[in-house]
Amino acid sequence: MSGQPNILFILADDLGYGDLSAVNGGLSDTPVLDNFLSQSVSLTQQYASSPVCNPSRASLMTGRYPHRTGSIDTLEWRGLERLALDETTLADLLSRGGYRTAHIGKWHLGAFDNRYAPLSRGFDESVCFRGGGHDYFDWRIEYDNIPQHSDGRYLTDVWTDEAIGFLGRVPKDQPFFLNLCYNAPHVPLQVPEEEADIFRAKGLFSEDVCKLYGMIRRMDSGIGRVLEALKANGQYENTIVIFTSDNGPEFVSDYLPTPTHTERFNSGLRGSKGSVYEGGVKVPLLMRWPGAVSYTHLRA
């Protein structure tokens, strides 16, 4: 094997350290991520740089503390989530190194000015919404800055479909960086009924947690489809795959018209999203590179 490795970075939104079924004893249902965990480096002391969405994402894009990047709060209507234009992103660096780069999913690093959009921050392609949260059925997203309204698909499935499409058309002789940012399980709590029904049947959870676990389950199956596409395209062995979350779980969303209550297992950690206690910033991080042993500089 030769050449540069591909990079698939998968980011969940408000997924807690205790949300994988391998961690919570089967309360949730994440067989794909459980299997991925068993084959990966799994960091047990991984901390997000912020207990809320966009400052954490700014750090992931730049490798810097969020307060140095201009992205300091979730208030896009005040411009406080904007990633400063003089910041260099991971996509900038990889693009200069010959990578084909794509951002798919939630952005939240600049909502109202195209200078802050993914296409202006090092990405060759983008399918996204730029704010902090979005309806999963009645969506309005942008394809390379061109708006498109809902076609009836569930938004989590849209991100999966678009990721598979990118993997299928990226040139075989060019390495790629795919930044796949699901907005699940961020509110609003919306999911196809059959997903929530699985957890309703257990009789263990509130209605809100049933929906949320259903959202995670749908994302998990989508990640499975993406990994299968890597294999089908012959890209799997040479792709570094990373999975993590932007912050801890949100337990009470009292800013919505109908408040949600999603208190659930989080490995006994104190706090949740919005708190700098461990429950707000400790997140899972899984990383696997099947072909790494084929690179002589990584051999023991």
Side-chain angles (χ1 to χ4, degrees):
M1 186 179 296
S2 61
Q4 298 162 296
N6 306 310
I7 303 169
L8 169 58
F9 186 83
I10 306 173
L11 186 66
D13 196 353
D14 294 357
L15 181 112
Y17 188 79
D19 279 336
L20 302 187
S21 53
V23 176
N24 62 36
L27 293 174
S28 61
D29 185 14
T30 56
V32 172
L33 288 169
D34 291 352
N35 183 61
F36 188 71
L37 184 153
S38 71
Q39 301 170 351
S40 302
V41 172
S42 176
L43 303 188
T44 58
Q45 296 294 318
Q46 170 69 18
Y47 293 93
S49 65
S50 171
V52 293
C53 300
N54 65 280
S56 176
R57 292 161 187 267
S59 287
L60 291 170
M61 273 288 98
T62 63
R64 285 159 52 81
Y65 288 117
H67 59 272
R68 296 186 181 276
T69 70
S71 182
I72 58 174
D73 204 345
T74 60
L75 307 180
E76 59 257 28
W77 53 93
R78 295 184 180 177
L80 298 180
E81 95 297 10
R82 289 178 169 182
L83 181 65
L85 296 177
D86 59 356
E87 290 291 328
T88 299
T89 71
L90 178 59
D92 286 325
L93 295 175
L94 290 171
S95 182
R96 294 171 195 169
Y99 278 72
R100 182 72 183 177
T101 58
H103 172 83
I104 295 173
K106 174 176 173 176
W107 178 237
H108 210 192
L109 292 173
F112 300 118
D113 186 328
N114 283 345
R115 293 178 301 166
Y116 297 89
L119 291 185
S120 301
R121 310 314 303 261
F123 289 98
D124 299 308
E125 302 181 27
S126 173
V127 182
C128 73
F129 69 89
R130 298 197 215 169
H134 206 67
D135 195 283
Y136 287 82
F137 291 104
D138 186 21
W139 44 261
R140 177 187 178 277
I141 60 177
E142 298 178 5
Y143 285 73
D144 291 345
N145 295 351
I146 300 173
Q148 179 172 316
H149 291 272
S150 175
D151 57 13
R153 287 179 293 166
Y154 182 59
L155 190 53
T156 296
D157 297 342
V158 174
W159 306 140
T160 297
D161 293 343
E162 294 300 332
I164 292 171
F166 171 76
L167 295 176
R169 66 176 175 270
V170 68
K172 299 299 183 183
D173 59 349
Q174 184 178 20
F176 65 79
F177 168 48
L178 173 54
N179 193 45
L180 176 55
C181 297
Y182 288 98
N183 52 312
H186 192 289
V187 292
L189 301 178
Q190 298 172 327
V191 69
E193 286 298 308
E194 65 270 19
E195 300 286 2
D197 284 344
I198 292 170
F199 300 99
R200 291 176 182 133
K202 295 183 179 184
L204 298 174
F205 313 112
S206 70
E207 175 64 12
D208 286 343
V209 172
C210 288
K211 291 178 180 177
L212 183 138
Y213 275 166
M215 295 166 73
I216 294 173
R217 185 177 187 275
R218 189 70 162 223
M219 177 179 65
D220 181 79
S221 63
I223 292 171
R225 290 174 53 206
V226 174
L227 296 179
E228 287 301 315
L230 283 177
K231 295 174 182 177
N233 296 338
Q235 301 161 323
Y236 189 68
E237 291 296 316
N238 195 34
T239 299
I240 300 170
V241 182
I242 303 167
F243 173 83
T244 190
S245 178
D246 59 351
N247 47 250
E250 184 168 37
F251 281 171
V252 179
S253 302
D254 55 9
Y255 53 86
L256 297 173
T258 302
T260 62
H261 298 274
T262 53
E263 295 86 348
R264 61 195 185 276
F265 179 84
N266 195 32
S267 300
L269 301 177
R270 183 181 183 183
S272 57
K273 179 180 178 179
S275 165
V276 292
Y277 289 120
E278 276 197 297
V281 292
K282 187 173 182 178
V283 294
L285 190 143
L286 315 177
M287 180 163 46
R288 184 165 186 254
W289 183 7
V293 294
S294 298
Y295 286 77
T296 55
H297 66 283
L298 290 179
R299 287 176 178 166

